[in-house]
């Protein structure tokens, strides 16, 4: 930080590690700003402890990796849709079951007219009656 301020930067932000009196290692986000006070330069420093945020971010990343592994390894096809019905995620099993690659499925919804679904008896399944679209419209769970 000192080098950057000495080089003329007026505001510098850096994450730094420090050790407390008790010997605990912590992380802080430090912001230093050069100000002119009565025509004399002074340094305003703001420090925020971010140790807990880092721990939460690590825990979240670990949890995400676990869920991703389950998602990827599931034998069942999993298709994730956003609030408009557009497909955002597809696992390998869904690709295999639907016979379409992820890139062909992403961004599409059950309302796309260039593909269709059918009931077990072979009769057409209207897109507006697709369980995912009904759930998005009504909020009621469907099977």
């Amino acid at each position: 930080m000192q080098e950057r301020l000495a080089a003329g930067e007026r505001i510098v932000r850096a994450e730094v590690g420090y050790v407390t009196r008790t010997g605990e290692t912590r992380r802080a986000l430090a912001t230093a700003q050069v100000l002119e006070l009565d025509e004399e330069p002074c340094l305003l420093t703001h420090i925020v402890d971010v140790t807990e945020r880092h721990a939460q971010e690590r825990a979240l990343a670990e949890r995400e990796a676990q869920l991703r592994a389950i998602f990827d390894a599931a034998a069942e096809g999993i298709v994730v849709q956003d609030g408009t019905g557009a497909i955002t995620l597809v696992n390998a099993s869904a690709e295999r079951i639907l016979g379409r690659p992820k890139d062909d499925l992403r961004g599409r919804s059950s309302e796309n007219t260039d593909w269709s679904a059918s009931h077990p008896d072979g009769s057409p399944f209207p897109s507006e009656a697709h369980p995912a679209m009904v759930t998005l419209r009504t909020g009621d769970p469907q099977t």
Side-chain angles (χ1 to χ4, degrees), residues 33-102:
Q33 180 175 4
V34 177
L35 301 172
E36 297 292 329
L37 186 61
D38 296 329
E39 297 183 23
E40 291 290 324
C42 67
L43 187 64
L44 173 66
T45 306
H46 179 255
I47 301 171
V48 178
D49 188 317
V50 292
T51 307
E52 297 308 318
R53 184 186 80 201
H54 274 275
Q56 291 170 350
E57 288 171 353
R58 277 192 307 276
L60 183 60
E62 289 172 11
R63 183 71 170 159
E64 185 177 344
Q66 291 170 340
L67 292 174
R68 175 60 70 177
I70 292 167
F71 179 81
D72 291 341
E76 295 80 10
I78 302 173
V79 176
V80 178
Q81 293 171 273
D82 67 15
T84 68
I87 296 171
T88 58
L89 290 172
V90 180
N91 71 351
S93 293
E95 283 184 289
R96 181 181 42 74
I97 292 166
L98 297 172
R100 290 179 175 246
K102 290 178 191 179

